[in-house]
Each structure stands twice: as structure tokens, then as C-alpha cells.
Amino acid sequence: DKDDSSTVETIPAPAQISYSLLKVYPHDTSAYTQGLQFVNGFLYEGTGNPDSVPNKSKLRKVDYASGKILKETSLPGILFGEGVTVLGDKIYQLTWQNKKGFVYNFSDFKLIKEFSYDIEGWGLTNDGKNLIVTDGSNNIYFWDPETLKEIKRISVQDNAGMKSNLNESEYINGFIYANVYQTDDVLKIDPATGNVVGRIDFSELKKTYPELQAPPSDYLNGIAWDSSGNRIFITGKRWSKMFEIRLN
């Protein structure tokens, strides 16, 4: 095994990445956001179920400007929905500790198949070829979207050591951006090395909008990239706001 301490010393400290806030939109405060992706002008959102209410976890197509839900389907029973991602003509959705995933038809949300895996499901994104999965540890997993089996994994670290609690994620211009659970941070991760190369601190959003610090608002979680508009949508679990930002 390589000596982690010596490896870490050679990693440069992550760059602090600033952003500009462009617009603010409404967000459904019943949505415990666990997955978010922007496709062809619409947001696709997956929600969780912290209160164990039957059929509470959702997969949704959302009009970002109004927050209106245009289409949705529910996960059965009290399953706890987690990350979602759109790849090709399919939508993939994980569950938290149920070790069960779902594949849907993109156009009509029709369930194509269920699959199983042996880790917790947290965040989910893709690089155009592989599914990219987080499980709350310092690992990021790459899965084949057809077989839904692991191809490889990377560990995530910065100059101070391993970084865990990686949650909702997005693949942007060759890097993985991941929310860090229970913080206001999003990390920019090099998928080739697992090294954290940048950090975005979104705590200012809560200072500007204090209602995001009070119930029902929970932690920051939700990052979606519009490549054509060069903008990012940011929200949180049961937040009343969705923010459109641009990285500086």
C-alpha cells in the first residue's frame, strides 16, 4: 500500500472557486432533493423519504423557472430515493440503504428494470459513458450503465487527507463536482486522480436567504449543469429556493 501521508503532502491545496448569483427561482419545500440534472431545458429531480412515508420518494421533471412539477413517478413503499442521472434515453435512480436501483425510460418515466448493488446509494452522475456513484465514503465508483456493475473506483483526497460524505454530484467539463453532506461545500474532483482541485463555499446563500436556515430547510444538496447556458442550478433538501449561478 502506498503511504497516504506522503501522497497527501504532494497534493496542492484546493483552489477556492467563486461564483456569481444570476437568478432565484421557487423550489418545492416538500422535495427532499437527492438528485438533480438539467436536460434539454428542464430539471430532473430525485427526492428522498426521511419520514418513511409510503410512495414519498419521487422522480420528477420540473420547470425550473416556476418550480412546477411537469411529470413524476413514485418509488414503491417507503424506499428512500437518492441520486438520479440521465444517460442516453434512460434515467437511473438509486436508493439509500435499500441496495436497489431503478432504470426508467427518459421520455415517459416508464420503469424498464430494477437492479441491485452492495453499497449505499448517495449521489449519481455520468461522464457520457459511465455512471458515477457516491456512497457517503471517500470513494467514487464508476459503473457500466448496461451491466450496472462496477468498472473501477477512485478515492477522493485533498492536501489534508481523505474526503468523505460525498453526496449529490454532477459531471462538468471533465470534473466531478460533489456536495459534501452536512456542509455548504461543493468539491471539484479530478476523476483521473481523485484529487480535490477546487472548493465552492455556498454558505453565503443561507446568509442572504435566512429562511434556508430554518425548518423545513435541510442541507445543501443539488447541483445541475446547463452546458449550453454555462450555468449551474443549486438547491437543497426542502429548500424554498433554486439558485442559478455561474462559476467565476
Side-chain angles (χ1 to χ4, degrees):
D1 284 359
K2 63 181 195 277
D3 177 6
D4 281 341
S5 59
S6 62
T7 315
V8 159
E9 282 162 19
T10 66
I11 301 171
Q16 199 62 42
I17 301 168
S18 65
Y19 65 91
S20 303
L21 177 58
L22 304 180
K23 285 186 180 139
V24 185
Y25 305 108
H27 179 249
D28 176 14
T29 54
S30 77
Y32 196 78
T33 306
Q34 301 286 39
L36 199 66
Q37 189 174 343
F38 184 92
V39 184
N40 300 337
F42 298 96
L43 286 168
Y44 291 80
E45 184 171 18
T47 72
N49 187 7
D51 307 315
S52 299
V53 176
N55 307 315
K56 179 72 172 167
S57 290
K58 308 284 187 187
L59 170 65
R60 291 172 162 177
K61 178 181 182 180
V62 179
D63 175 63
Y64 70 85
S66 66
K68 189 176 169 206
I69 299 146
L70 304 175
K71 193 183 327 189
E72 76 172 12
T73 189
S74 299
L75 290 183
I78 60 165
L79 288 178
F80 197 116
E82 284 278 346
V84 301
T85 197
V86 179
L87 179 57
D89 60 357
K90 297 186 180 74
I91 306 176
Y92 299 81
Q93 185 173 24
L94 300 177
T95 59
W96 177 33
Q97 293 176 320
N98 311 103
K99 303 196 169 171
K100 185 183 286 217
F102 297 87
V103 185
Y104 307 90
N105 193 20
F106 173 70
S107 60
D108 59 9
F109 286 13
K110 188 165 182 282
L111 183 64
I112 298 170
K113 65 177 172 182
E114 296 182 15
F115 63 97
S116 59
Y117 46 89
D118 58 6
I119 56 173
E120 288 191 0
W122 284 45
L124 183 60
T125 186
N126 74 82
D127 57 9
K129 188 175 136 194
N130 306 301
L131 301 179
I132 299 173
V133 182
T134 64
D135 67 345
S137 72
N138 62 290
N139 288 327
I140 295 180
Y141 306 84
F142 293 74
W143 290 356
D144 181 302
E146 294 304 318
T147 65
L148 299 156
K149 299 294 180 207
E150 181 183 328
I151 300 164
K152 64 169 184 173
R153 67 179 71 177
I154 58 173
S155 69
V156 177
Q157 56 280 317
D158 65 10
N159 58 314
M162 293 296 175
K163 303 301 288 184
S164 59
N165 278 350
L166 303 172
N167 204 358
E168 214 280 302
S169 51
E170 187 81 351
Y171 189 82
I172 304 173
N173 290 338
F175 292 90
I176 299 164
Y177 288 71
N179 283 265
V180 182
Y181 181 48
Q182 295 185 322
T183 76
D184 297 311
D185 289 349
V186 169
L187 301 183
K188 178 184 182 183
I189 301 157
D190 181 345
T193 61
N195 292 346
V196 178
V197 296
R199 172 178 167 266
I200 316 163
D201 176 4
F202 285 109
S203 57
E204 196 61 38
L205 294 177
K206 285 185 182 165
K207 290 183 192 140
T208 311
Y209 298 92
E211 65 268 31
L212 301 180
Q213 300 181 47
S217 299
D218 202 317
Y219 295 107
L220 175 86
N221 203 42
I223 175 167
W225 163 241
D226 170 15
S227 57
S228 61
N230 185 27
R231 57 185 177 164
I232 293 173
F233 294 89
I234 295 286
T235 193
K237 305 165 191 258
R238 297 198 284 238
W239 281 20
S240 58
K241 304 271 189 289
M242 173 88 63
F243 298 95
E244 179 186 322
I245 64 139
R246 181 163 291 142
L247 299 182
N248 298 331

